[in-house]
mmCIF file of all heavy atoms in Angstrom:
data_model
loop_
_atom_site.group_PDB
_atom_site.id
_atom_site.type_symbol
_atom_site.label_atom_id
_atom_site.label_comp_id
_atom_site.label_asym_id
_atom_site.label_seq_id
_atom_site.Cartn_x
_atom_site.Cartn_y
_atom_site.Cartn_z
ATOM 1 N N ALA Q 14 35.369 -162.368 22.740
ATOM 2 C CA ALA Q 14 36.052 -162.340 21.440
ATOM 3 C C ALA Q 14 35.695 -161.068 20.683
ATOM 4 O O ALA Q 14 36.549 -160.456 20.039
ATOM 5 C CB ALA Q 14 35.696 -163.585 20.625
ATOM 6 N N ARG Q 15 34.449 -160.639 20.788
ATOM 7 C CA ARG Q 15 34.022 -159.403 20.128
ATOM 8 C C ARG Q 15 34.771 -158.212 20.723
ATOM 9 O O ARG Q 15 35.262 -157.349 20.000
ATOM 10 C CB ARG Q 15 32.515 -159.201 20.291
ATOM 11 C CG ARG Q 15 32.031 -157.893 19.684
ATOM 12 C CD ARG Q 15 30.577 -157.643 19.969
ATOM 13 N NE ARG Q 15 29.761 -158.649 19.318
ATOM 14 C CZ ARG Q 15 28.475 -158.862 19.604
ATOM 15 N NH1 ARG Q 15 27.870 -158.158 20.540
ATOM 16 N NH2 ARG Q 15 27.804 -159.781 18.965
ATOM 17 N N ALA Q 16 34.874 -158.184 22.050
ATOM 18 C CA ALA Q 16 35.579 -157.087 22.711
ATOM 19 C C ALA Q 16 37.051 -157.067 22.303
ATOM 20 O O ALA Q 16 37.619 -156.009 22.036
ATOM 21 C CB ALA Q 16 35.437 -157.207 24.222
ATOM 22 N N ALA Q 17 37.679 -158.229 22.244
ATOM 23 C CA ALA Q 17 39.103 -158.312 21.911
ATOM 24 C C ALA Q 17 39.369 -157.949 20.452
ATOM 25 O O ALA Q 17 40.370 -157.311 20.139
ATOM 26 C CB ALA Q 17 39.633 -159.705 22.217
ATOM 27 N N ALA Q 18 38.476 -158.361 19.568
ATOM 28 C CA ALA Q 18 38.665 -158.069 18.142
ATOM 29 C C ALA Q 18 38.312 -156.618 17.819
ATOM 30 O O ALA Q 18 38.820 -156.047 16.864
ATOM 31 C CB ALA Q 18 37.812 -159.011 17.295
ATOM 32 N N GLY Q 19 37.406 -156.049 18.625
ATOM 33 C CA GLY Q 19 36.993 -154.675 18.387
ATOM 34 C C GLY Q 19 35.955 -154.527 17.292
ATOM 35 O O GLY Q 19 35.605 -153.418 16.907
ATOM 36 N N VAL Q 20 35.468 -155.637 16.766
ATOM 37 C CA VAL Q 20 34.428 -155.623 15.733
ATOM 38 C C VAL Q 20 33.458 -156.769 15.999
ATOM 39 O O VAL Q 20 33.813 -157.759 16.630
ATOM 40 C CB VAL Q 20 35.014 -155.773 14.308
ATOM 41 C CG1 VAL Q 20 35.835 -154.561 13.925
ATOM 42 C CG2 VAL Q 20 35.825 -157.036 14.162
ATOM 43 N N GLU Q 21 32.244 -156.603 15.512
ATOM 44 C CA GLU Q 21 31.241 -157.660 15.655
ATOM 45 C C GLU Q 21 31.447 -158.743 14.607
ATOM 46 O O GLU Q 21 31.276 -159.928 14.877
ATOM 47 C CB GLU Q 21 29.853 -157.046 15.528
ATOM 48 C CG GLU Q 21 28.740 -157.991 15.866
ATOM 49 C CD GLU Q 21 27.402 -157.271 15.965
ATOM 50 O OE1 GLU Q 21 27.343 -156.179 16.539
ATOM 51 O OE2 GLU Q 21 26.423 -157.822 15.449
ATOM 52 N N GLU Q 22 31.796 -158.312 13.402
ATOM 53 C CA GLU Q 22 32.088 -159.267 12.336
ATOM 54 C C GLU Q 22 33.003 -158.618 11.327
ATOM 55 O O GLU Q 22 33.122 -157.393 11.259
ATOM 56 C CB GLU Q 22 30.816 -159.807 11.679
ATOM 57 C CG GLU Q 22 30.081 -158.856 10.784
ATOM 58 C CD GLU Q 22 28.910 -159.535 10.074
ATOM 59 O OE1 GLU Q 22 28.142 -160.269 10.709
ATOM 60 O OE2 GLU Q 22 28.772 -159.313 8.868
ATOM 61 N N GLU Q 23 33.668 -159.473 10.560
ATOM 62 C CA GLU Q 23 34.555 -158.977 9.519
ATOM 63 C C GLU Q 23 34.709 -160.026 8.440
ATOM 64 O O GLU Q 23 34.492 -161.217 8.680
ATOM 65 C CB GLU Q 23 35.926 -158.606 10.094
ATOM 66 C CG GLU Q 23 36.717 -159.759 10.646
ATOM 67 C CD GLU Q 23 38.018 -159.316 11.295
ATOM 68 O OE1 GLU Q 23 38.602 -158.307 10.869
ATOM 69 O OE2 GLU Q 23 38.456 -159.993 12.246
ATOM 70 N N LYS Q 24 35.081 -159.555 7.261
ATOM 71 C CA LYS Q 24 35.376 -160.466 6.158
ATOM 72 C C LYS Q 24 36.878 -160.705 6.152
ATOM 73 O O LYS Q 24 37.662 -159.775 6.305
ATOM 74 C CB LYS Q 24 34.909 -159.878 4.829
ATOM 75 C CG LYS Q 24 33.403 -159.825 4.730
ATOM 76 C CD LYS Q 24 32.937 -159.333 3.395
ATOM 77 C CE LYS Q 24 31.416 -159.345 3.361
ATOM 78 N NZ LYS Q 24 30.901 -158.844 2.101
ATOM 79 N N VAL Q 25 37.247 -161.969 5.990
ATOM 80 C CA VAL Q 25 38.658 -162.351 5.996
ATOM 81 C C VAL Q 25 38.957 -163.106 4.715
ATOM 82 O O VAL Q 25 38.231 -164.040 4.359
ATOM 83 C CB VAL Q 25 38.972 -163.228 7.234
ATOM 84 C CG1 VAL Q 25 40.417 -163.702 7.202
ATOM 85 C CG2 VAL Q 25 38.678 -162.469 8.523
ATOM 86 N N GLN Q 26 40.010 -162.690 4.025
ATOM 87 C CA GLN Q 26 40.429 -163.381 2.804
ATOM 88 C C GLN Q 26 41.519 -164.383 3.136
ATOM 89 O O GLN Q 26 42.444 -164.085 3.903
ATOM 90 C CB GLN Q 26 40.944 -162.389 1.768
ATOM 91 C CG GLN Q 26 39.844 -161.657 1.060
ATOM 92 C CD GLN Q 26 40.318 -161.061 -0.241
ATOM 93 O OE1 GLN Q 26 41.439 -160.592 -0.355
ATOM 94 N NE2 GLN Q 26 39.458 -161.084 -1.246
ATOM 95 N N LEU Q 27 41.383 -165.558 2.549
ATOM 96 C CA LEU Q 27 42.328 -166.655 2.759
ATOM 97 C C LEU Q 27 42.608 -167.317 1.418
ATOM 98 O O LEU Q 27 41.798 -167.215 0.494
ATOM 99 C CB LEU Q 27 41.724 -167.689 3.723
ATOM 100 C CG LEU Q 27 41.405 -167.192 5.129
ATOM 101 C CD1 LEU Q 27 40.425 -168.133 5.814
ATOM 102 C CD2 LEU Q 27 42.674 -167.072 5.935
ATOM 103 N N PRO Q 28 43.716 -168.034 1.312
ATOM 104 C CA PRO Q 28 43.962 -168.770 0.072
ATOM 105 C C PRO Q 28 42.956 -169.907 -0.098
ATOM 106 O O PRO Q 28 42.481 -170.475 0.897
ATOM 107 C CB PRO Q 28 45.376 -169.330 0.246
ATOM 108 C CG PRO Q 28 45.813 -168.999 1.621
ATOM 109 C CD PRO Q 28 44.787 -168.145 2.270
ATOM 110 N N SER Q 29 42.625 -170.234 -1.309
ATOM 111 C CA SER Q 29 41.741 -171.374 -1.566
ATOM 112 C C SER Q 29 42.335 -172.610 -0.925
ATOM 113 O O SER Q 29 43.553 -172.786 -0.917
ATOM 114 C CB SER Q 29 41.579 -171.606 -3.064
ATOM 115 O OG SER Q 29 40.811 -170.569 -3.616
ATOM 116 N N GLY Q 30 41.475 -173.460 -0.369
ATOM 117 C CA GLY Q 30 41.939 -174.660 0.299
ATOM 118 C C GLY Q 30 42.279 -174.444 1.761
ATOM 119 O O GLY Q 30 42.701 -175.373 2.443
#
Side-chain angles (χ1 to χ4, degrees):
R15 177 186 295 166
V20 293
E21 189 170 318
E22 73 174 45
E23 65 184 329
K24 291 184 178 179
V25 176
Q26 283 200 323
L27 298 161
S29 290

